[in-house]
Amino acid sequence: MKFNHEIISFPKNVPLNLSINRLGSVGRHWHQSLEIVFVVHGDVTVKLSEEDCFLSVGDVMLINPNGIHELYSDDATLVTLHLKLELLPGLPENVRNAYFDCVSTHADNPEKFNTLKSIVADLLRVNLQGGLCIDVLNLSLCYRLVYELYTSFASDFLRRGEDEARKLDRLSSILSIINDRYSEDLSLETIANEVYLTVPYLSKFFKTCMGVTISRYIRTTRLYHAANDLLSPGKSIESIAEQNGFPNTRAFVSAFKEEYGELPSTWRKRPPQQPFDFVRQEQTVNYINCDPHITRSYISDFIHENSFANTVTAAPGATVKTDSITVDTNGGTPLSHNCRAFIGVSRAHELLEEKIRNNLRRLQKYAPFRYIKMHSLLDDDMMVYSENSKGEPEYNFTLIDEVFDFLMSVRLRPLVQFSFMPSLLAAAPTKTTFYCKTVTSEPKHMQKWYRLVNRLTEHLLERYGADEVSQWLFCVWNEPSSSNKMFGFKDKDTFLKLYECSYRAVKEASPALRFGGPASFSAIGKSEDWLFDFLHTSTRAGARPDFINIHYYDIDLTYAMQNPVPDDDWTELFLSTDPDSFGKFVRDMKSRLSAEGFDDLPVYLTEWNSTTSHRDLLSDTCFKSAYVAKNVLENYDELAGFGYWLLSDSHNELRMSEKLFHGGLGMFCVNGVAKPVFYIYAMLADMGKNMIARGDGYFVTSGNDETILTLYNYHHFSNAYAKEVGIFTSYTDRYSIFPSKAGKTFSFNFPSLSGTFLVKSVYVNQKHGSAYDEFVRMGAVEPLSPEETEWLSNVSKPRMKKEIITGEPLSLSVSLAPFEVRQIRIKKILPDNENV
């Protein structure tokens, strides 16, 4: 028999295995499970016994257990389902042993397969989405699938040859014994007796069919299950060895190291290796695997076209109650409130627009920031640089003055970033980025660049005074650590020359001015070596920066870094599957700065967000406000300054979307309507001077005779959404990707507070303070008229509530909806004679 046996692994809970694969060719093989293949892209030839079946998009084929088959394709994407019928409890024997004739290309009525496709589409939806009670959903859909197969496709006709069938049935019996009883003291004699063979014949038969000895196969099976058990933190290595049929721990460790190349204790600490690892939340096993190279639009189309609408959803989580939290309102740790250090505007020219200025005026009134970060101060649209007929530089700082005059009027100091390159000064004027074609070339004359930077700095000192400008921050360029296709250069030395030139030009104008490192780009999986190489090199050159300037986005570039492409031209944008990745980045950065001798430099995070995408639909929702609250409060004052990117969806990095809520990163929509995240920063601006308690979901401060509680109920999106499988979002439904979202109740005790108190609450959730959710409730019909825009802005304000509470001592119970952020101010009401 010249074919291979494929071992299909199943979770212990449900005998189901789903996979999504790009297919080339798969040679002759067989397995004990039932297999159904759905073609979602391309063409496939399936050879089953002596018959060739040609499948194209939309076709379905079922391969019965023990059926020898092979598949061929130049490039196809398949959804494949394996099901072990004998492991489904309660199935009648005639159903377990049924033969199914299920090939769509043979059918007279293609609609006969619609229900089958719908069940598999719902299985995909459920397992990509994840959530609680996933096993129950999978089991119910598996039984529904079996019912549909038996009632619509069961057949008495068997297509295998008699001799081949007999051999496969014998081998299947042997494998079933091993797979069912691998944890026992299983000997060759025991197996041989049960299948009525001699030990020598059994050994030869098995080796001929499987290409491996039966003893090795038993050991491999045991190790496979043991490796899965190692992922359960509650199990000891000793108990895992015993439960999987090894005579002792020493034998298990030795076999494991030989098979996997490392010790079991090391294995259980390793991170997931595959970027597409759709692990279900609150679960420890997978029901679905996904090839990282597949085009996910095919999967999305398959689900949308075939799934039973709204018939299968993940079970909602129950309200989570915290333990009783005791807060001592005495003392506390002083706060610097660095979370509002930097607000970002995409390009300097935007600050000449009245709508952007209105956004900033509103921001500075309710949530004042200290600095503003912007690109493109030297772009051609700022009309700064030109040359006369002799090639001599001419400068015009009129528009820069207009921008900085306005910033002074709203009490914002600039981070003066010398970027990007005037086209007349560019070595490669056609090297551009953004929709607006910003030039990101190095200068063709470094001395001319020096004179431009120096003259502009001197002008700013003359216009605004040394006392004021000495409180500003200066740097050069944006994310030079990115690819040459974006802001970077072909080699590192080019930027180092640009940095040193700019540093010396500013310091010549005034040594008191603070010149910082470039805005280096950071993300999960991206090495920080570029930044630290720069810090060491600039220090050796006598141009050590006065502060460190970094950007961080919660995107996962691990796969991109392990599979590099020219110019870092990443086609995949994965989000973080770890809800705590931002805090880990902050801690890791501080640790390395300390280790390499740069912990004396202030660290300013001048750009930060959950994604780099201006088309992530979650950015308009309450998810983003809860994300900001969680990450700011959990990392409060850990850096010298945090910056939120971006002020407004109105910018020129991308072509303007025709949709109002298109997933931009701004605090404000294009029409000036505030998003929920704006109101969160207004809450952060109202916190007290001292931090007196914090924990999961709460941050308590005090000041001005008040106790202020800032609470949040954060939920992370599903792993499928993180990997950009945008199946569960639409323009009007953006919360389905949170399968386990639940309410949260806090119980606070204040032993040092007694008497009568005024308790004032302000909160933002999907019903209050979310313009997007209000827009959906009003019908989501665009465009909006000026009157409708004003109405939407007025009704999407946070909710306010005031009440009088008496306590001896005071206690407080607060319930938050999913993604809600709430601030509660507690102030004692004094008797009349004490108020005099």
Side-chain angles (χ1 to χ4, degrees), residues 2-130:
K2 296 180 180 179
F3 44 79
N4 296 318
H5 173 251
E6 182 182 4
I7 301 173
I8 307 296
S9 58
F10 297 97
K12 295 180 180 179
N13 307 33
V14 183
L16 167 71
N17 183 296
L18 280 168
S19 60
I20 304 168
N21 307 98
R22 279 185 69 180
L23 177 69
S25 298
V26 181
R28 298 185 77 205
H29 67 287
W30 68 283
H31 39 71
Q32 294 176 285
S33 59
L34 174 151
E35 177 180 357
I36 310 178
V37 174
F38 299 81
V39 183
V40 297
H41 168 68
D43 300 313
V44 181
T45 299
V46 181
K47 187 176 182 64
L48 186 61
S49 296
E50 301 303 321
E51 181 183 6
D52 288 351
C53 293
F54 300 97
L55 309 180
S56 57
V57 174
D59 282 331
V60 182
M61 182 173 188
L62 184 146
I63 300 159
N64 285 275
N66 301 335
I68 301 171
H69 56 288
E70 49 193 314
L71 300 89
Y72 300 98
S73 175
D74 292 332
D75 183 18
T77 302
L78 306 181
V79 173
T80 306
L81 177 147
H82 288 93
L83 188 63
K84 200 81 178 284
L85 294 182
E86 57 266 37
L87 298 183
L88 274 176
L91 284 185
E93 186 175 354
N94 61 319
V95 176
R96 286 202 310 271
N97 298 326
Y99 180 88
F100 303 105
D101 187 3
C102 179
V103 183
S104 60
T105 55
H106 294 166
D108 296 331
N109 180 15
E111 294 182 0
K112 180 180 180 180
F113 294 82
N114 288 349
T115 302
L116 197 64
K117 291 180 182 179
S118 296
I119 296 169
V120 173
D122 282 332
L123 277 166
L124 278 173
R125 178 188 292 275
V126 164
N127 286 282
L128 285 170
Q129 187 175 13

Side-chain angles (χ1 to χ4, degrees), residues 421-494:
M421 193 59 58
S423 58
L424 286 176
L425 189 52
T430 58
K431 182 180 179 291
T432 63
T433 191
F434 296 151
Y435 179 75
C436 56
K437 302 300 182 183
T438 286
V439 179
T440 59
S441 163
E442 69 273 20
K444 59 184 177 183
H445 298 294
M446 195 64 74
Q447 186 59 33
K448 287 185 177 181
W449 173 263
Y450 180 96
R451 288 163 57 191
L452 169 61
V453 172
N454 177 258
R455 183 66 194 97
L456 174 56
T457 306
E458 290 177 341
H459 171 78
L460 297 175
L461 288 164
E462 293 165 3
R463 185 175 182 85
Y464 301 103
D467 289 344
E468 171 61 32
V469 178
S470 66
Q471 299 180 71
W472 297 7
L473 301 171
F474 293 80
C475 70
V476 62
W477 222 248
N478 182 71
E479 297 180 0
S481 58
S482 64
S483 72
N484 184 52
K485 193 172 182 179
M486 288 292 292
F487 312 110
F489 305 102
K490 290 183 178 180
D491 59 78
K492 187 165 50 178
D493 289 342
T494 300

Side-chain angles (χ1 to χ4, degrees), residues 572-730:
E572 310 286 6
L573 177 58
F574 299 157
L575 302 179
S576 172
T577 58
D578 183 356
D580 300 314
S581 52
F582 176 65
K584 292 175 182 176
F585 163 76
V586 171
R587 292 189 294 274
D588 290 347
M589 175 61 72
K590 292 180 66 177
S591 176
R592 186 166 178 184
L593 286 168
S594 177
E596 301 209 23
F598 296 102
D599 52 342
D600 60 317
L601 296 179
V603 179
Y604 297 128
L605 181 64
T606 56
E607 282 189 25
W608 163 61
N609 215 304
S610 62
T611 177
T612 56
S613 172
H614 293 284
R615 296 293 185 268
D616 186 334
L617 296 181
L618 291 186
S619 292
D620 301 320
T621 70
C622 290
F623 160 79
K624 183 56 67 71
S625 49
Y627 172 87
V628 167
K630 166 189 161 61
N631 286 291
V632 165
L633 295 175
E634 288 182 358
N635 301 280
Y636 212 81
D637 285 350
E638 288 293 325
L639 301 177
F642 291 80
Y644 186 77
W645 190 260
L646 188 64
L647 175 73
S648 172
D649 287 348
S650 181
H651 61 85
N652 303 123
E653 289 188 13
L654 295 179
R655 184 176 182 273
M656 190 73 70
S657 172
E658 72 279 6
K659 297 290 187 180
L660 178 59
F661 292 101
H662 57 264
L665 296 178
M667 287 185 180
F668 296 92
C669 297
V670 172
N671 62 2
V673 172
K675 300 183 189 180
V677 69
F678 164 76
Y679 297 113
I680 301 318
Y681 273 101
M683 289 185 191
L684 295 173
D686 281 342
M687 300 222 297
K689 297 179 180 178
N690 299 302
M691 188 271 291
I692 55 178
R694 68 174 170 182
D696 182 18
Y698 66 91
F699 194 95
V700 187
T701 60
S702 63
N704 297 326
D705 298 321
E706 287 184 309
T707 301
I708 302 108
L709 284 69
T710 307
L711 313 176
Y712 56 90
N713 183 9
Y714 177 78
H715 295 275
H716 208 56
F717 37 73
S718 67
N719 286 3
Y721 187 81
K723 303 304 184 185
E724 256 202 349
V725 183
I727 294 169
F728 311 106
T729 56
S730 67

